[in-house]
Amino acid sequence: MSSITTTHWGSYRARVENGRLVGMDPVEWDRDPSPIGQSLPEGITAPARVLRPAVRRGFLEGGAASREGRGSEPFVEVEWDEAIALVAAHVDRVRKTHGNSSIFGGSYGWSSAGRFHHAQSQVHRFLNAFGGYTYVRDTYSNAAGRRILPYAIGELDTLRPKQTNWSVLAEHCELFVSFGGLPTRNAQVNPGGANDHAVPYWIDQLAQRGVEFVNVSPVRDDMGTVPSAQWLPLRPGSDTAVMLALCHTLIAEGLYDRAFVATHTVGFDRFSDYVLGRTDGQPKSCEWAAPLADVDAQALRTLARRMAARRTLVNIAWSLQRALQGEQPFFALVALTALLGQIGTPGGGIGLGYSAFNDIGNGRNGFSGPRLPQGRNPVPDFIPVARISDMLLNPGAPFEYDGKPYVYPDIRLIYWAGGNAFHHHQDINKLIRAWRRPEAIFVHEAYWTAQARFADVVLPATVMVERDDIGSASGDGFMTAMKRLVQPIGQARDDYDIFTAISARMGDEMAFTEGRDVMQWLKFLYEESFGRAESMGVSLPPFEEFWARGHLEYEWPARPQVLLEGFRADPAAHPLETPSGRIELFSERLHAYGYEECPGHPVWHPSDEFLGDARARQFPLHMITPQPATRLHSQYDHGKVSRDSKIQGREPMKMNPDDAAARGIRHHDVVRVFNDRGAILAGVIVTPDVRTGVVQLSTGAWYDPLEPGLVGTLDKHGNPNVLTPDRPSSRLGQGCAAQSTLVQVERWNGTLPEITAFGPPPMVARP
């Protein structure tokens, strides 16, 4: 049997034999299929699979009084009825005793491409049906950038799907400069599913048509698909200084577009006074930026002149904003592209994350397909997404966010379905301390991830090939009938079935289900999307026809997009979403907040986790943590594709030959990577494609502590978030600062401890 199913990293024709998934063959229209799909057949039946409901022994015996045992105690497997009753009783008790704001609804939205069995929507809908929950705003991917852009050029959610199409760039662009490169490993994935991986194809088309590329990044292979690209290997964290220096050259040499600045921007005088040094006595010249970035001043000056003379697109990778003062590179990019005056032109202007997702710039129809309604959340309490530990450790403490004061809620219960905080969140040792504060932690999970091991009750959830669903992503151009391919492993249940049972136990199943089973929901949601589809030029067949066909491809839009084309033509008729309706080089509203680290214009602030800081004498290597090529975040790290990339079972880390030689480290050695937050083991790839002073270690290796549950123990496997700081980007965005991390590395000469992350935790019989 062969059937098409959609994942976040691609669509595949699944091969099923005798009720088992045996292969995943890429669909024929995918130009650059992702290998991640090959992890599914083995991965869904792997030892890491959660087979039955399980309760931590201490919680079963003593409830919340046992929470210090999280992460170290064994589990007891129980029957579904008992697990449902236990979870329902605690949810009901906490909401009635402490209020719904004491419940934290955790999820991160990447558990499945299916739109109905979207774990984040399911858990939020369930909690909203019973009075709401404390929620999160923004994402780890782009929180700082998302917060600053509305003050400078507009909402990221508005701009992202409207970015200039690759086909337009191929025809008109002459120079493509990208801060953070164009890492096509990121373009494997797409929210809601991916079908045609076209980003490598279009990058190749641009190169063949003579477009010149400049990779401004500490890592050469961040633009590895363009061998001819110029590499400007700046220090991590110095991008804002480099952009300000480019602006300085444009202003000082009269190369900026005066007419565009006069008609389409506000605040130029305030910004230029800062850049030219009139406000602080320090011109932000190329000579000033060169030692900060450790690059040649003349190379920067030459680049600024080239950008002014050519049709230039300047792009930024989202990774740059996951840092201290992470708002500033996005703000500085807006200023730089505004001075160049090419915003709104075909082939020029600003790029906000080309290759961050597969859909950016692909030109396909933006219809998003069916969506499960989450209901209304009456609870006003929230946190910025990267402040989980701070919230748990400091209930009632004040924090600032986007110009307003708030207070952390007092969380008594965490309910999490979809996602893994022990992957996403920084400073895992701090997270472990915080994770022991709530009275109860409930998790729906298919695999024994670290988050499941640190939970009180783990309810086994199905994976995408074990259920019926609809795959559909905004900007992907396809919709897939994701039919169940195999029966659930063990006693796994759909999140929907789990929440239905808990709702029934709490006395109001109808509030959650509205009386529909899964297939009734799929038909309802599909038909509910007809109006949105029609408004976007998509004609959908009847549900029964779609389900029988199994796959739809939408018509392409009539004409390709150029970002902010209308604004360029007439800024009065097509104003931006900024306070003034124009690009703001200086924001009066932002200035009024009084944030020194995030004032009214782009600014350079030296960081204390930067190679130019005194801390680098103790920890002289800057660790950058990109998304992995072999998995999605931490998903399927236990799968074949990810495991095959390991070095002696550890996550691979790239290191410059000079840095390796100075430490007696050879290719494929295992090393200890450490700072004052913790220590991990990793396998080394020695390569000149990483600049000196920098190591690169992807996120997503499953946390595997040498002594389970112990704060400060060695991670045997290579999870970089043991080392990353849990600090906000600024008071404005409160984003994560994972990319601001200094470490030291030494060769590991001891016996290598066994990797235990990919099996279940200890199970014991009921006491």
Side-chain angles (χ1 to χ4, degrees):
M1 175 183 129
S2 174
S3 179
I4 295 175
T5 195
T6 292
T7 71
H8 285 302
W9 50 86
S11 288
Y12 303 86
R13 293 189 181 276
R15 285 183 280 116
V16 177
E17 297 176 2
N18 300 319
R20 292 181 60 250
L21 180 66
V22 298
M24 298 285 282
D25 301 322
V27 291
E28 55 273 19
W29 56 82
D30 193 343
R31 280 176 272 192
D32 188 40
S34 168
I36 299 174
Q38 307 314 313
S39 284
L40 263 71
E42 176 194 73
I44 63 171
T45 58
R49 192 70 193 266
V50 181
L51 298 176
R52 287 170 285 278
V55 183
R56 183 172 55 81
R57 184 177 62 185
F59 189 76
L60 194 62
E61 296 174 348
S66 73
R67 50 196 171 194
E68 288 298 318
R70 288 176 186 144
S72 61
E73 290 182 345
F75 282 79
V76 178
E77 292 182 331
V78 301
E79 296 300 321
W80 265 109
D81 286 349
E82 182 178 1
I84 293 296
L86 183 64
V87 170
H90 277 279
V91 172
D92 208 34
R93 174 187 62 81
V94 169
R95 72 187 181 101
K96 289 178 178 177
T97 304
H98 303 288
N100 283 73
S101 65
S102 67
I103 299 174
F104 181 70
S107 185
Y108 206 59
W110 284 98
S111 64
S112 172
R115 295 298 86 194
F116 174 70
H117 294 293
H118 179 240
Q120 185 182 76
S121 296
Q122 290 281 343
V123 68
H124 291 173
R125 178 178 176 84
F126 166 73
L127 293 173
N128 283 335
F130 294 96
Y133 61 98
T134 289
Y135 65 102
V136 301
R137 288 186 182 173
D138 300 325
T139 68
Y140 288 86
S141 296
N142 53 36
R146 183 188 294 267
R147 285 303 106 213
I148 194 67
L149 287 174
Y151 299 93
I153 198 170
E155 297 283 349
L156 179 60
D157 288 348
T158 301
L159 298 170
R160 188 179 83 81
K162 296 180 180 179
Q163 294 193 78
T164 302
N165 294 165
W166 285 107
S167 59
V168 176
L169 296 177
E171 185 175 353
H172 298 282
C173 186
E174 296 176 321
L175 179 62
F176 195 115
V177 179
S178 190
F179 287 83
L182 286 168
T184 53
R185 62 178 177 269
N186 296 351
Q188 292 180 96
V189 305
N190 210 46
N195 271 272
D196 179 16
H197 291 92
V199 173
Y201 166 82
W202 281 115
I203 293 175
D204 182 63
Q205 288 294 300
L206 266 66
Q208 288 189 33
R209 298 184 189 194
V211 177
E212 299 173 6
F213 287 85
V214 180
N215 175 28
V216 188
S217 168
V219 182
R220 187 196 303 271
D221 61 11
D222 274 349
M223 202 177 276
T225 50
V226 189
S228 62
Q230 177 190 353
W231 183 28
L232 196 64
L234 79 175
R235 281 176 174 163
S238 65
D239 304 83
T240 299
V242 168
M243 291 184 208
L244 291 171
L246 297 174
C247 290
H248 182 278
T249 298
L250 295 177
I251 296 171
E253 297 187 5
L255 300 176
Y256 72 98
D257 189 328
R258 287 180 172 82
F260 184 85
V261 167
T263 56
H264 290 73
T265 77
V266 297
F268 173 74
D269 290 343
R270 298 286 292 273
F271 175 62
S272 63
D273 283 349
Y274 171 74
V275 169
L276 297 175
R278 294 170 182 153
T279 55
D280 61 3
Q282 175 60 68
K284 311 308 177 293
S285 64
C286 293
E287 285 72 21
W288 163 80
L292 296 172
D294 193 25
V295 295
D296 180 64
Q298 187 56 42
L300 297 180
R301 189 173 294 106
T302 299
L303 177 59
R305 293 167 179 167
R306 286 174 65 199
M307 293 165 74
R310 312 292 296 277
R311 179 59 61 87
T312 302
L313 190 287
V314 191
N315 180 61
I316 191 168
W318 288 358
S319 60
L320 270 63
Q321 60 84 60
R322 295 196 293 273
L324 296 171
Q325 287 88 49
E327 295 80 6
Q328 296 309 313
F330 272 61
F331 205 178
L333 176 77
V334 173
L336 174 60
T337 52
L339 294 185
L340 289 170
Q342 299 185 34
I343 290 173
T345 64
I350 188 170
L352 299 167
Y354 281 95
S355 91
F357 287 142
N358 182 57
D359 69 322
I360 294 178
N362 71 5
R364 287 189 174 271
N365 194 294
F367 172 55
S368 62
R371 292 291 183 270
L372 177 66
Q374 297 183 13
R376 187 183 71 87
N377 184 1
V379 173
D381 291 315
F382 74 94
I383 60 165
V385 67
R387 302 273 62 81
I388 294 174
S389 292
D390 287 348
M391 170 188 69
L392 296 176
L393 290 169
N394 304 290
F399 70 95
E400 294 182 69
Y401 168 77
D402 203 13
K404 296 183 178 67
Y406 298 95
V407 173
Y408 286 123
D410 185 2
I411 298 300
R412 303 301 182 99
L413 184 148
I414 294 175
Y415 206 127
W416 205 293
N420 177 6
F422 285 75
H423 154 65
H424 288 296
H425 201 69
Q426 285 63 61
D427 195 346
I428 285 177
N429 286 307
K430 178 181 175 182
L431 178 64
I432 291 171
R433 293 192 295 269
W435 209 248
R436 289 178 173 148
R437 297 298 293 271
E439 298 173 11
I441 298 176
F442 304 144
V443 169
H444 295 195
E445 183 54 85
Y447 302 106
W448 281 108
T449 63
Q451 178 161 290
R453 292 166 183 260
F454 275 84
D456 296 323
V457 180
V458 181
L459 303 178
T462 54
V463 298
M464 62 198 77
V465 296
E466 297 170 340
R467 55 201 181 206
D468 293 316
D469 211 336
I470 296 174
S472 178
S474 176
D476 181 61
F478 292 82
M479 187 186 297
T480 306
M482 298 171 59
K483 300 175 184 178
R484 174 184 285 184
L485 302 175
V486 295
Q487 292 300 311
I489 301 297
Q491 296 181 15
R493 295 184 180 181
D494 298 347
D495 293 312
Y496 182 69
D497 293 337
I498 297 171
F499 285 129
T500 297
I502 297 172
S503 299
R505 188 80 185 193
M506 292 175 64
D508 195 355
E509 178 181 336
M510 283 295 293
F512 176 71
T513 68
E514 298 183 21
R516 299 186 183 96
D517 63 20
V518 171
M519 288 305 299
Q520 289 170 331
W521 267 112
L522 294 182
K523 182 177 181 181
F524 171 79
L525 296 176
Y526 178 86
E527 293 175 348
E528 186 273 337
S529 73
F530 281 176
R532 289 185 293 109
E534 184 178 359
S535 70
M536 300 196 71
V538 173
S539 178
L540 295 176
F543 175 77
E544 291 74 15
E545 180 182 339
F546 157 68
W547 196 253
R549 286 168 57 181
H551 206 64
L552 301 177
E553 181 176 2
Y554 313 145
E555 293 291 326
W556 287 75
R559 62 187 298 268
Q561 292 182 150
V562 174
L563 180 63
L564 299 179
E565 184 178 35
F567 168 72
R568 180 181 185 85
D570 190 339
H574 302 280
L576 303 178
E577 295 175 308
T578 61
S580 65
R582 291 191 280 174
I583 296 169
E584 302 208 0
L585 304 178
F586 180 90
S587 167
E588 293 287 356
R589 184 174 297 177
L590 184 59
H591 175 68
Y593 297 158
Y595 296 156
E596 180 185 3
E597 76 278 22
C598 198
H601 57 72
V603 66
W604 162 258
H605 277 294
S607 165
D608 58 4
E609 292 251 0
F610 178 66
L611 288 175
D613 185 77
R615 180 176 167 84
R617 289 195 290 269
Q618 183 180 8
F619 303 112
L621 297 170
H622 195 125
M623 183 181 73
I624 53 178
T625 54
Q627 295 299 332
T630 58
R631 56 186 176 263
L632 169 56
H633 297 306
S634 65
Q635 283 189 56
Y636 289 92
D637 186 38
H638 70 294
K640 175 178 170 34
V641 176
S642 185
R643 284 189 291 106
D644 284 351
S645 74
K646 309 286 183 176
I647 297 172
Q648 300 188 60
R650 324 293 145 168
E651 186 67 16
M653 182 185 76
K654 294 180 180 179
M655 189 176 198
N656 184 272
D658 292 343
D659 294 324
R663 293 162 174 80
I665 295 168
R666 296 171 297 182
H667 190 61
H668 281 198
D669 276 349
V670 171
V671 296
R672 177 175 174 261
V673 190
F674 63 96
N675 58 22
D676 48 8
R677 287 180 286 269
I680 66 175
L681 298 183
V684 169
I685 296 174
V686 178
T687 172
D689 288 342
V690 177
R691 64 154 289 151
T692 56
V694 171
V695 293
Q696 184 190 49
L697 180 66
S698 295
T699 65
W702 285 10
Y703 176 60
D704 195 10
L706 184 65
E707 299 177 79
L710 184 67
V711 173
T713 189
L714 175 75
D715 171 53
K716 303 176 291 184
H717 189 206
N719 186 319
N721 278 330
V722 171
L723 308 172
T724 54
D726 184 19
R727 300 168 62 186
S729 57
S730 79
R731 285 173 288 178
L732 182 80
Q734 291 280 356
C736 77
Q739 302 289 23
S740 298
T741 304
L742 295 181
V743 300
Q744 179 59 289
V745 175
E746 62 185 14
R747 190 172 185 270
W748 177 264
N749 293 312
T751 301
L752 282 174
E754 179 187 3
I755 298 297
T756 54
F758 299 141
M763 297 287 174
V764 295
R766 192 183 197 100

